[in-house]
Amino acid sequence: LETTSVVTVASSLDGVELSDVRAEEFMKQRIVIPVEAPKVRAAPPPPPVEIVGVGMLLSRPSDGGPHTDISVKEIYEGFAVHKDGTIKVGDVLVEVDGQGVQLMTMGEVSELILGPVGSEVTLLLEK
């Protein structure tokens, strides 16, 4: 689809400054300029985002699927959970950001906990 826009351009008379000229002294020149659709450029890729966890290994008993407890099996030194010191091995994860985890798969729970560096997650645990 191509459309045309008509633009009217006023030009000054020879040797006369535009600021000194009254409107009726202008010569009008009609110029037809085709209006083209802008070329669409692909958006640049977003900068890489480092996705990290909070520094704990969760586990569910091997015989259990959903409906079994997810517990903290290991805490990794240097990560947020270790630095905070509140969460301990053996604690049972109940909620992630207000969402109950008992019916979730381990993959679903992991996705809720992982996030960009600096983001926060709220965990509810039973001691």
Side-chain angles (χ1 to χ4, degrees):
L1 176 69
E2 189 174 301
T3 59
T4 302
S5 175
V6 177
V7 178
T8 301
V9 178
S11 59
S12 69
L13 298 170
D14 288 339
V16 179
E17 292 292 323
L18 286 175
S19 60
D20 298 335
V21 178
R22 293 187 314 266
E24 59 267 15
E25 293 176 330
F26 280 102
M27 291 185 340
K28 291 187 177 177
Q29 181 180 19
R30 190 172 297 270
I31 300 172
V32 177
I33 301 173
V35 177
E36 299 176 354
K39 294 187 171 121
V40 178
R41 294 184 184 177
V49 175
E50 186 178 359
I51 302 296
V52 296
V54 294
M56 66 181 174
L57 176 64
L58 299 172
S59 71
R60 179 175 264 155
S62 60
D63 63 339
H67 304 288
T68 57
D69 291 337
I70 297 173
S71 61
V72 178
K73 183 175 182 180
E74 190 174 344
I75 295 175
Y76 301 115
E77 190 173 333
F79 282 85
V81 169
H82 179 258
K83 291 175 185 177
D84 177 68
T86 307
I87 299 173
K88 304 292 182 199
V89 171
D91 289 351
V92 175
L93 183 62
V94 178
E95 291 180 357
V96 177
D97 287 333
Q99 297 182 49
V101 298
Q102 191 173 16
L103 299 178
M104 293 183 183
T105 65
M106 292 297 290
E108 291 169 330
V109 173
S110 293
E111 285 182 26
L112 290 177
I113 295 173
L114 295 175
V117 172
S119 60
E120 293 183 345
V121 62
T122 302
L123 306 174
L124 176 63
L125 296 117
E126 288 180 349
K127 297 285 183 179

